[in-house]
Amino acid sequence: PKDFNDPFDCNRNLIAEKQKVLGDWDYVERLNDITDIGIACFSENGMEPLLWSHYAKSYRGYCLKFNIELLINNQVDSVKLKRVIYSQTPEVISQEHPFSSYYQYLLKLDNWKYEQEWRLLFQNPSNAENRFYFDKNCIQEISVGYKNMDNSSDKERELKSAFDRIRKERFNDIPLMTVGPHQTKFELNKV
């Protein structure tokens, strides 16, 4: 969470008993420096232009569509999938509140509502890597941004070659789509 692009995300000061008062500008990092829980972020909407701009390197990246039942059913009980709660005026709650174990991980300001986010919360992420592993059968579709096909630099050509090789070797049976601007409307199109 300390590396999330929203500095208020996962702020421990949302839980009354965890509140800290810090006197310098390091407070943001300290208030969401959480290492005992892993968080994987998902969206309900793989066709949101802002998500493609912010999280897929301006349409050069990709989006994976998951079968959620397979993703969470194969995991241990310590994995929870929860919808993010958006609020304009977040309130502090007590650790005694029944929802307090999730509250700080799921509350975001209304500004982020367009993300339609869900979060997979898992205890004790793989120590040094902080990663969550899943079976490839959970992936239903791979969408690449239309700029992913750009071959204007050596680095981009290398990345595209690596992506193509990995896809052919491991994900050849999964549909591959391209997402980009519709030709006549101000919206995204998937082909």
Side-chain angles (χ1 to χ4, degrees):
K2 72 178 181 177
D3 296 324
F4 286 176
N5 61 353
D6 175 3
F8 303 107
D9 209 337
C10 298
N11 188 317
R12 76 180 60 167
N13 275 358
L14 292 171
I15 309 299
E17 294 81 0
K18 294 183 182 179
Q19 289 183 329
K20 300 222 186 280
V21 177
L22 302 168
D24 59 21
W25 281 100
D26 290 333
Y27 76 94
V28 170
E29 186 171 309
R30 289 187 199 162
L31 290 180
N32 59 11
D33 187 3
I34 299 159
T35 57
D36 61 341
I37 191 163
I39 301 174
C41 304
F42 300 88
S43 175
E44 291 179 22
N45 186 358
M47 296 296 285
E48 169 57 52
L50 289 174
L51 294 177
W52 279 94
S53 293
H54 298 161
Y55 300 109
K57 200 176 176 195
S58 296
Y59 297 88
R60 287 177 175 81
Y62 57 91
C63 174
L64 302 177
K65 180 178 179 180
F66 286 94
N67 176 319
I68 296 301
E69 287 78 26
L70 287 177
L71 184 68
I72 59 175
N73 286 343
N74 294 333
Q75 305 302 326
V76 294
D77 290 337
S78 62
V79 175
K80 304 289 182 205
L81 183 66
K82 301 284 185 185
R83 184 189 301 258
V84 167
I85 301 163
Y86 300 97
S87 172
Q88 191 55 47
T89 54
E91 295 183 21
V92 173
I93 66 170
S94 169
Q95 244 176 334
E96 303 301 315
H97 192 283
F99 193 63
S100 69
S101 59
Y102 301 115
Y103 188 65
Q104 83 181 83
Y105 308 119
L106 299 178
L107 187 69
K108 293 179 78 167
L109 290 173
D110 271 344
N111 309 53
W112 300 94
K113 198 171 195 168
Y114 72 92
E115 292 183 336
Q116 299 176 43
E117 187 175 347
W118 285 73
R119 290 192 166 173
L120 191 70
L121 307 173
F122 52 101
Q123 297 294 324
N124 303 320
S126 178
N127 290 341
E129 299 173 1
N130 194 21
R131 293 185 182 175
F132 176 78
Y133 294 93
F134 57 88
D135 187 297
K136 76 171 195 158
N137 293 323
C138 296
I139 301 174
Q140 292 181 317
E141 180 182 283
I142 300 171
S143 295
V144 295
Y146 74 103
K147 291 183 180 178
N148 182 275
M149 303 305 163
D150 184 5
N151 289 319
S152 60
S153 72
D154 288 340
K155 183 178 180 179
E156 287 180 350
R157 281 191 289 277
E158 287 174 28
L159 287 172
K160 184 175 179 332
S161 291
F163 176 85
D164 290 342
R165 180 181 43 77
I166 291 168
R167 182 176 182 284
K168 286 176 185 166
E169 290 173 3
R170 299 186 62 206
F171 303 101
N172 199 30
D173 56 336
I174 297 171
L176 179 65
M177 309 298 280
T178 301
V179 172
H182 192 280
Q183 292 179 352
T184 59
K185 301 176 188 173
F186 273 31
E187 62 185 41
L188 292 181
N189 190 30
K190 184 189 291 187
V191 293

